[in-house]
Amino acid sequence: MMSSNPYLPRLAEVLEVKEESPEVKTLKLKLKEGRMKFKAGQFLELTVFGVGEAPFTFSSSPFNLESFEVSIAKVGSVTGAAHRLKRGELVGVRGPFGNGFPLEEYKGRDLLIVGGGIGIAPLRSLLYALVAERSEYGELKLLYGARSPSLIIYKDEWEKFMEKDVEVYLTVDVGDETWRCGPYGPCGYTHVGVVTTLFDLVKLNPEKCVAFVCGPPIMIKFTVQRLLQLGFPASRIYLSLERMMKCGLGKCGHCNIEGYYVCKDGPVFPFEMLKDIPHPF
Ligand SMILES: Cc1cc2nc3c(=O)[nH]c(=O)nc-3n(C[C@H](O)[C@H](O)[C@H](O)COP(=O)(O)OP(=O)(O)OC[C@H]3O[C@@H](n4cnc5c(N)ncnc54)[C@H](O)[C@@H]3O)c2cc1C
Ligand code: FES
């Protein structure tokens, strides 16, 4: 439940800080009062007191009502301050905001999840939601890429998703001596090349499959091109987008793209809605 004043942050305690990579930390948070009920794909506004507020998608399972997680890449002032937070400290949270992934519509379908960089954060939440009801869906495939092996995050979780019948394909732009290519455990199929090169390794049935994509704009652009070439209809390609935000509520206009507010109408959009917009990503 949101606070009655959506501009007023609620207090949350940092329960745990996990270093996922040299660039990303995951904060486990718990509201001081009440519970955070959210859908995979929704986001919150996080305040680091004395520094500022920034939007982050939930990266944890929406079925865990006791605590919730955000995974934060350090890029500037708020994210830098979030990386310095310690267990027991308090932050402010507003939300949940946005629409989330439309999972109910796609029960029985095959699902393809494609993530790049920190874009894997909302997709991790999506994966947890899907494996909690694994028998409701068909084939589940994940394609995830990072720039280098040290930047692959959630390393200890991929094997657990594979045990839940998720096909996991990981790739890095540049490998190193720790990165062995091929169908080797424990992390699924590992590869070197940009995310779209993984499409050569997977078998997909575009008539039955729905794609969910999140990552840097250039990755989204080439992934969408590839999905369309494969025969995915624009209505079954979902993109989770980022824009500069302030209110998170569809009021201030900061996140406007051609009449849509990313914070309110998104951040998850079917490509069908965006395909006639000149630079949607
Ligand atoms: C809906 C939504 C969900 C997001 N989810 C996550 C998430 O799960 N994990 C995560 O690490 N990040 C996420 N982001 C991006 C995150 O909000 C920005 O990285 C953050 O606002 C930067 O704040 P800062 O004060 O550290 O950076 P600043 O000091 O303000 O800026 C540092 C640099 O980051 C750029 N920047 C700032 N905000 C954004 C933005 N919204 N998009 C792209 N570039 C930006 C600035 O242009 C500048 O180059 C999300 C953004 C949105 C809109
Ligand atoms: S952030 Fe204010 S309208 Fe979207």
Side-chain angles (χ1 to χ4, degrees), residues 54-57 71-73 75-79 118 242-245:
F56 301 100
T57 45
S71 299
I72 299 179
V75 296
S77 54
V78 175
T79 52
I118 190 63
E242 279 190 17
R243 276 293 186 282
M244 295 294 189
M245 288 187 181

Side-chain angles (χ1 to χ4, degrees), residues 45 244-256 261-264:
E45 290 278 350
M244 295 294 189
M245 288 187 181
K246 282 275 180 212
C247 68
L249 297 164
K251 302 282 185 209
C252 72
H254 260 74
C255 65
N256 179 45
Y261 291 126
V262 174
C263 67
K264 195 161 170 260

Side-chain angles (χ1 to χ4, degrees), residues 136-190:
E136 301 277 356
Y137 300 94
E139 292 180 358
L140 238 173
K141 297 181 190 195
L142 169 74
L143 315 184
Y144 162 42
R147 297 197 310 279
S148 68
S150 68
L151 299 179
I152 293 276
I153 63 174
Y154 312 135
K155 286 190 182 74
D156 51 347
E157 296 174 43
W158 301 122
E159 197 177 353
K160 291 179 198 150
F161 283 120
M162 287 165 66
E163 285 164 12
K164 301 269 183 187
D165 198 18
V166 180
E167 275 181 45
V168 175
Y169 297 80
L170 306 180
T171 190
V172 292
D173 294 357
V174 181
D176 63 18
E177 64 289 350
T178 65
W179 194 255
R180 200 172 155 215
C181 291
Y184 307 116
C187 275
Y189 201 104
T190 46

